[in-house]
Amino acid sequence: MSGMRVIEAAQPFPFAFDKARTAVIVIDMQRDFVEQGGFGETLGNDVTRLQAIIPAVAALIGGARKAGVPVIHTRECHRPDLSDLPPAKRDRGNPSLRIGDHGPMGRILIAGEPGADIVPALYPVPGELVIDKPGKGAFYATDLSAHLERLGVTTLIFAGVTTEVCVQTTMREANDRGFLCLLAEDATDSYFPEFKAAAIAMIRAQGAIVGWTATTAEIVEALHG
Ligand code: TIU
């Protein structure tokens, strides 16, 4: 049976992809970005608006699992000894707590700490890949490329936070590596609504220069069609 699918309503034009060569990649849905007391808040952001996308991300993950499409999760976090945290990143901005400091959910953005883990509503099931990454992009300094090659994946469907930082960086990395990239536009958000809108516009401008966008409902329907 052919795995070819088309999302007619995708922007900027219909998105054709092979379901058998597709993975969903959920970027950084960690407590440190969406709950109070974590990294997002320490950078001065209101984290509550990011919580609103959890149902859409859950619907996308559920649809992918039902369709037999692999779900890959990422976490932005660092080693406890901070050996993968460049001083230029640690000292960025003027946060109330820096990466590695002790906060209400453990050490900020450190692997193994409660805050660096994925929110319970979107928790990976056994067998799903979880990629820990020290940068904003999920390809930099990780083995994501090797896993995608092993899985035979050529299309990536993106969700997660934040749209213009880790999601967009990873989409651009993937686009340059030859992947077809589709963003689930209601399953991603930013602390800044205008940055989300701008990121979505720039991704699909110039004939999908970075990738396509579609709604979660359209994507799930295509996966099951
Ligand atoms: N995951 C991710 O987007 N990391 C960030 O640091 N995002 C911000 O918007 N700060």
Side-chain angles (χ1 to χ4, degrees):
M1 201 175 85
S2 165
M4 287 310 293
R5 299 285 190 273
V6 181
I7 300 176
E8 296 289 345
Q11 298 288 333
F13 50 81
F15 182 72
F17 68 105
D18 183 353
K19 188 189 103 166
R21 290 181 164 272
T22 296
V24 165
I25 180 159
V26 182
I27 304 287
D28 300 359
M29 288 301 293
Q30 296 161 259
R31 299 181 64 197
D32 259 326
F33 290 109
V34 302
E35 293 185 14
Q36 263 93 24
F39 184 60
E41 192 172 72
T42 204
L43 292 173
N45 298 304
D46 172 9
V47 296
T48 54
R49 57 173 294 114
L50 267 50
Q51 292 163 16
I53 66 164
I54 289 176
V57 181
L60 182 67
I61 291 174
R65 285 176 184 155
K66 216 170 132 194
V69 167
V71 178
I72 300 170
H73 307 257
T74 70
R75 299 184 295 205
E76 180 179 350
C77 59
H78 295 273
R79 296 180 193 145
D81 65 3
L82 307 184
S83 58
D84 60 354
L85 176 61
K89 182 175 181 184
R90 180 162 159 83
D91 297 339
R92 191 74 49 88
N94 188 23
S96 52
L97 291 172
R98 296 188 304 172
I99 296 172
D101 289 351
H102 291 268
M105 292 189 288
R107 293 179 68 199
I108 300 280
L109 237 52
I110 298 298
E113 299 288 334
D117 210 352
I118 292 165
V119 296
L122 304 174
Y123 213 74
V125 296
E128 286 180 350
L129 270 174
V130 180
I131 304 286
D132 284 350
K133 60 185 183 64
K136 303 305 181 190
F139 287 85
Y140 168 68
T142 72
D143 53 11
L144 178 59
S145 283
H147 283 294
L148 296 175
E149 202 172 315
R150 176 178 56 80
L151 292 167
V153 164
T154 57
T155 296
L156 288 170
I157 298 174
F158 287 85
V161 296
T162 60
T163 316
E164 82 283 11
V165 183
C166 291
V167 176
Q168 181 174 214
T169 299
T170 305
M171 278 187 84
R172 288 174 181 274
E173 286 182 324
N175 187 47
D176 281 352
R177 285 166 173 77
F179 292 91
L180 285 174
C181 296
L182 174 68
L183 175 62
E185 60 190 61
D186 54 336
T188 183
D189 213 336
S190 167
Y191 301 118
F192 308 89
E194 68 275 25
F195 288 174
K196 174 182 176 175
I200 284 177
M202 67 178 77
I203 282 165
R204 62 192 185 198
Q206 305 182 68
I209 196 134
V210 178
W212 285 254
T213 68
T215 66
T216 297
E218 290 159 357
I219 295 166
V220 170
E221 191 190 340
L223 291 177
H224 292 157

